[in-house]
Amino acid sequence: MAEYVMSVEQIGPTLLPLVGGKAANLGELSRLPGVNVPDGFCVTTDAYADIVARDDHLHRLLEGLAGVAGGDLEGIRSVSARIRDAIEALSIPAGISGAIAGQLHRLGDTEAYAVRSSATAEDLPTASFAGQQDTYLNVIGLDAVLRCVRNCWASLFTERAVAYRLQQGIDHRGVQLAVVIQRMVFADVAGIMFTADPITSDRRTVSIDAGFGLGEALVSGLANADNYRVRDENIVGRLVSAQTVAVRPLPGGGTEQTGVDADRQTARKLTDAQILRLAGIGRELEAHFGGPQDVEWALADDEFSIVQSRPITTLFPVPGPQDGKNHVYMSFGHQQMMTDAMKPLGMSFFQAQFEGTPLIEAGGRLFIDMAPDLASPVGRQLALASLRAIDPLIDSAIRILMKRKGFAKNLAGDGERYLTLGGGGGYFTWRLPVEAVKLYRSNDPAPIAALKADHEADLDEQQRKLGSLSGDELFEAVLDDLRQHLKVEVIDPRSMGAVYAGMFALNRVNKRMEKWLAVKGAADVLAQAVADDVTSQMGLALLDVADIVRRHPQAMAVLPLLTDDTFFADLSAVEGGESVSQAIRAFLDSYGMRCPGEIDLTRPRWSEAPTQLVPMILSNANSIEEDPAPSARAGRVERSRRRADEMQQSLVDRLQREPGGRWKARRAAKMISRVRTFAGYREYPKYLMMRHYWMIKRALLAEAARLVDAGIVRRPDDVYYLTFDEFREAARTGRVDQELIGQRRAEFERDTRLTPPRVITSDGEVPPGAYENATAPDGALTGIAASAGTVEGRARLVLDLADAYLEEGDILVTTYTDPSWTPVFLTVRGLVTEVGGMMTHGAVVAREYGLPAVVGVDGATRLLRDGQRIRVNGTDGYVELL
């Protein structure tokens, strides 16, 4: 039998489907000693479901809303308005209205109440939905309460609520609405408390906003709040704001805006004792609910009432222990150009590859605790020197922390060190500078060719070995390949020495040419058309595909309509499709192991999902000039080589005219020669790594298919939500926890909505980094000058490579780029990324293709609008909004 009402005291967290998130939290709060919660009751979701089930017209409208896309603002506006009108016009059945009347009689028929919505997808650990539905204050009498209940039901379909659910991927029909009705608190002061600082995310700081009158004045933005900050039971900040307007209750019901008396407008809202008492309540709520809380409170007659406490869902989880010592966690993903969440199999696989490296998981991302390195003066100096080259914003954020009084003294000094990366086999071994210097001095490409030949032979041997194994033998062989072959190949001092020789040559040319000739970014031009750049060669190879595609109009027209499952069969069925299929297959034979976010083994490779290539193929096909001779690739390579040769000749000629010019010209020619010899190798280790990944993935997917055939998992990608060891155990025992797989899927969806910080401390603080750029004009966005030149054009915000339909002349604005984005660079005129440094993928390929680029522009995808005209200054490192 339906239960239409429940008192707050009856409600617990297990009743969430019946009462919604807000009521479930209030019921839990009402049982906490020392926490005052206004008495009240809940109109349950049974009542809402009964109303919807009775009305066929409303049911049809809800069905129609399911077909509206998230970006269809007009569709959302139209359908949601019709649903609200239908709900507000409903007559509440006697069974429901009678139950509400009975509760009002218990509490007091003439009392004033607050009527608030409580959705089943609201105030949850993974999605707060704060403010998505309506609240009504100072409601008096049964008729007014019933009207507000109906309006709360309708508010489930406001445009903002519908859009939010679409963004969170929540089915409208699966969300039910309850309504909370509580005694009204006629507050002298009200506000919001965050038990973690909402600006810095510091978990040790409580932030309290307070204003005179009802809290509606602050929520609606009518008044500025006082802000008080409490850290470790000490008040560390008091910001008093002038308040001229407050919201007060009217005698007959409802509220009004009133002026604040002149002598009180600049007065503090809370005393120090009240601030500390409220912060203490916040800590009790945080301890009870097991995480930082967003708390709504009211103060009347010096007594605090808590009217809501919900989890803060936007905080990024702290990666490691909170042991009283300071830890500094650096994002590994910002170095790898992979800030997306990773699935458990991909995460554990990557960690197994770098066993012994201090990689810590949080929020589906990997972090490194820098505290052991920073704890010693020598380690600190080495770490900061390396970080400045990797990501200046990480470097800046850590320097800010290290200047803080007492921070360095309390650093955790024990643990694995970043600078030894894997117990002495990493980037910073003594052999690395030796190998780099030896290669740089010799300027001989032969060792690179020999190194590649060794790697190719080893890859072939491993592929033959994995192809013959299954079961536990396969998993053991995969671990052997990761630890004994791939790890050695990727961080082999000889290989990394070649990378660093190229980095050193680029840096040295830029510094010398700026000093000698006042030419900035000279090496950016000289790095075009360098030897051995496998990533740039990949982009040019896809240009060859585009060259073929544009000659077959029917195949070109059908490409956007294809699906991965029948891609080549459907393509070959149209005129010219077979030729295009052959071209794409040939490309995939060489580069099909790549994809966006490729360090996550579980991400679909181009060979698995060739539709990912379609936007890039079409963008390139549309930008190719008619009848290129002999091909678009050859034309682009020749132009790049000519620009580099012309720059080299210009620099040498100018230097020879300078005092001491002959010596400088000879030095410059040698440095430039080293750029051309070594700069292209930068992308090869990642390419080799992805070839190993694809070989291993195919073997593991064959094992997953065997588990599906045996009925152990439902579908192959279920294994992506198991760790590598769990997958191995499932294959060995024939058992798997399906509930765990479902839980991991939900956790992954939650993690995808989090934004990983570059740096986060053990207190949860996210220190902001900053650039120093004296040349940037006011209002410009600053970043790293990654590839010289200045260009103006239309900003195209692309967050997913599958949406990269670009036109020639566009400027690509995105979060990060990895090698899979390279073909896009053939169409655009410039690049702006939020993540990156001088030697990360976007910077390297932008220089190769001669594109002005600014990388590491914090918040670029939020601050720039799609279609906006911008100017990218890749020489001085800033972006202007035109």
Side-chain angles (χ1 to χ4, degrees), residues 137 187 189-191 211-220 247 297:
L137 303 177
V189 180
F212 290 127
L214 304 180
E216 182 65 20
L218 304 186
V219 173
S220 61
V247 174
W297 57 270

Side-chain angles (χ1 to χ4, degrees), residues 795-811:
R796 293 306 309 270
L797 269 64
V798 181
L799 302 182
D800 188 332
L801 196 54
D803 300 325
Y805 289 95
L806 298 155
E807 297 178 10
E808 191 166 15
D810 287 343
I811 295 173

Side-chain angles (χ1 to χ4, degrees), residues 793-797 863-870 881-882:
R794 178 179 64 167
R796 293 306 309 270
L797 269 64
L863 300 171
L864 297 175
R865 299 191 310 274
D866 188 59
Q868 184 175 27
R869 193 161 184 81
I870 61 174
L881 288 64
L882 305 181

Side-chain angles (χ1 to χ4, degrees), residues 246-569:
V247 174
R248 307 282 187 188
L250 287 166
T255 61
E256 66 173 351
Q257 295 178 29
T258 64
V260 177
D261 294 342
D263 61 339
R264 299 189 69 211
Q265 288 179 3
T266 57
R268 280 182 54 179
K269 315 306 185 292
L270 295 176
T271 66
D272 283 358
Q274 289 169 334
I275 293 168
L276 292 174
R277 182 155 40 108
L278 182 58
I281 294 172
R283 288 300 185 211
E284 290 176 16
L285 298 178
E286 182 179 71
H288 178 79
F289 287 109
Q293 297 290 297
D294 168 0
V295 181
E296 296 177 27
W297 57 270
L299 178 68
D301 298 327
D302 198 36
E303 182 177 15
F304 284 106
S305 294
I306 304 301
V307 296
Q308 186 52 269
S309 183
R310 62 174 70 89
I312 305 175
T313 59
T314 56
L315 294 175
F316 198 87
V318 178
Q322 293 172 300
D323 54 8
K325 289 289 187 178
N326 290 331
H327 297 262
V328 181
Y329 301 105
M330 175 183 69
S331 167
F332 190 69
H334 280 77
Q335 301 173 50
Q336 290 293 320
M337 299 299 99
M338 170 54 178
T339 57
D340 298 342
M342 297 174 71
K343 297 184 182 72
L345 180 60
M347 178 78 69
S348 59
F349 180 84
F350 193 83
Q351 288 173 305
Q353 179 182 343
F354 291 98
E355 186 183 35
T357 302
L359 293 175
I360 305 166
E361 187 274 335
R365 279 81 170 184
L366 291 169
F367 292 82
I368 297 172
D369 186 2
M370 297 297 296
D373 292 284
L374 298 171
S376 73
V378 174
R380 188 180 314 154
Q381 187 174 0
L382 289 171
L384 292 174
S386 67
L387 292 175
R388 174 162 287 182
I390 292 169
D391 189 318
L393 285 177
I394 291 177
D395 170 71
S396 171
I398 292 180
R399 288 177 190 274
I400 289 170
L401 291 173
M402 299 310 294
K403 290 177 183 177
R404 190 173 292 170
K405 184 178 179 180
F407 188 89
K409 289 183 178 179
N410 196 41
L411 282 166
D414 297 330
E416 290 282 350
R417 295 179 182 271
Y418 166 65
L419 295 182
T420 57
L421 204 63
Y427 296 161
F428 297 96
T429 64
W430 64 269
R431 284 187 60 199
L432 173 55
V434 172
E435 292 292 341
V437 169
K438 185 166 66 175
L439 285 168
Y440 185 86
R441 285 178 174 172
S442 71
N443 194 25
D444 182 3
I448 293 178
L451 192 62
K452 286 184 175 182
D454 289 346
H455 291 162
E456 293 289 335
D458 185 72
L459 184 66
D460 289 342
E461 174 61 27
Q462 290 303 307
Q463 190 156 346
R464 283 192 295 271
K465 182 178 179 180
L466 290 183
S468 63
L469 299 175
S470 64
D472 208 58
E473 287 184 330
L474 170 65
F475 288 93
E476 189 59 36
V478 167
L479 288 177
D480 177 71
D481 185 58
L482 284 178
R483 296 166 180 169
Q484 304 303 322
H485 299 268
L486 180 53
K487 178 180 177 180
V488 171
E489 290 172 358
V490 171
I491 60 175
D492 183 339
R494 293 179 304 160
S495 185
M496 294 310 299
V499 171
Y500 273 72
M503 292 170 61
F504 180 71
L506 284 163
N507 187 51
R508 199 169 190 191
V509 167
N510 275 334
K511 284 186 175 180
R512 292 295 186 186
M513 294 307 102
E514 186 169 1
K515 180 180 179 180
W516 290 344
L517 296 174
V519 175
K520 288 186 176 182
D524 299 350
V525 179
L526 297 167
Q528 295 180 31
V530 293
D532 296 318
D533 189 338
V534 66
T535 303
S536 294
Q537 291 166 2
M538 177 181 69
L540 294 171
L542 197 62
L543 193 61
D544 285 345
V545 175
D547 210 359
I548 293 170
V549 166
R550 73 178 188 86
R551 299 170 187 168
H552 300 285
Q554 289 190 28
M556 189 170 176
V558 81
L559 276 173
L561 309 176
L562 300 175
T563 63
D564 291 321
D565 291 341
T566 59
F567 186 89
F568 290 106

Side-chain angles (χ1 to χ4, degrees), residues 12 22 31 56 80 115 132 315 387 409 577 643 673 783 808 852:
K22 186 179 274 90
R31 286 185 288 278
D56 291 338
S80 62
V115 181
Q132 293 304 311
L315 294 175
L387 292 175
K409 289 183 178 179
R643 281 194 294 266
S673 175
E808 191 166 15

